[in-house]
Amino acid sequence: MTTAIPLASAERIHADHTTVKHLGHWTEATEFDVRARRATVVLDLRSPRISWDEPVTADLELASAALTLLLPDAVTVDSWDLAFSGRGRVKDAQPGTGRARLRLAGAVTDGEIRLRRGGVAQLTAMCSRAYLDDLRRAHGDGALPTVDDPTRRRPR
């Protein structure tokens, strides 16, 4: 596997033989450095706090790992800078057509990148412990949950 120099201001995610999920409003970063080995990583990039004015970049190093990205509907994904060895591919059932761009770069060895938008992204977020915790918090506060739809505004 190649080793890339991590981006200085990037949000770093490391997963080794585990599952890592970051859902809802978890970051404002536009650069991500993801390292995963025999792991599953789910990153929610639907938050309105993430600026899509410039391309968002993700430097990946996946080995026998699955990366799921929850994206806004209009995001176009550029995966030309990904190097695959062994089995691996990018699964994008509903390609985005907007001006917002996500640039994927790095190396994938026997791994998979799944891109989910719209209702499928919402269902993916809802099938998590974080969503259950968010529902409990929202019920106690008399508010609405935001993990399933980070663009939803809480009532005042």
Side-chain angles (χ1 to χ4, degrees):
M1 217 181 326
T2 62
T3 55
I5 298 171
L7 303 169
S9 62
E11 185 78 45
R12 299 184 76 185
I13 293 102
H14 181 264
D16 192 355
H17 290 81
T18 189
T19 298
V20 174
K21 292 184 180 184
H22 293 291
L23 302 170
H25 299 294
W26 67 280
T27 187
E28 294 178 8
T30 58
E31 296 177 351
F32 300 90
D33 182 27
V34 181
R35 303 288 177 255
R37 183 171 62 117
R38 294 192 183 274
T40 302
V41 178
V42 179
L43 301 179
D44 190 349
L45 304 180
R46 299 174 298 152
S47 175
R49 296 177 187 168
I50 298 174
S51 171
W52 291 93
D53 296 335
E54 296 291 323
V56 173
T57 59
D59 184 30
L60 310 175
E61 190 171 324
L62 306 178
S64 300
L67 171 64
T68 302
L69 298 172
L70 309 182
L71 301 172
D73 290 332
V75 173
T76 302
V77 178
D78 174 9
S79 60
W80 283 100
D81 294 330
L82 279 176
F84 288 95
S85 61
R87 298 177 126 180
R89 67 183 193 171
V90 176
K91 289 184 173 181
D92 192 359
Q94 178 187 354
T97 57
R99 296 184 62 201
R101 301 190 73 76
L102 172 63
R103 185 183 149 277
L104 302 176
V108 179
T109 304
D110 294 327
E112 180 174 270
I113 300 166
R114 300 177 188 129
L115 306 173
R116 297 191 173 155
R117 296 176 178 85
V120 177
Q122 194 170 11
L123 286 172
T124 301
M126 289 172 73
C127 295
S128 68
R129 169 76 61 181
Y131 180 65
L132 184 60
D133 294 342
D134 190 38
L135 282 175
R136 289 182 177 139
R137 180 211 44 84
H139 180 70
D141 295 346
L144 295 172
T146 57
V147 167
D148 62 327
D149 184 6
T151 61
R152 181 183 298 136
R153 293 188 181 267
R154 293 183 180 165
R156 294 176 194 209

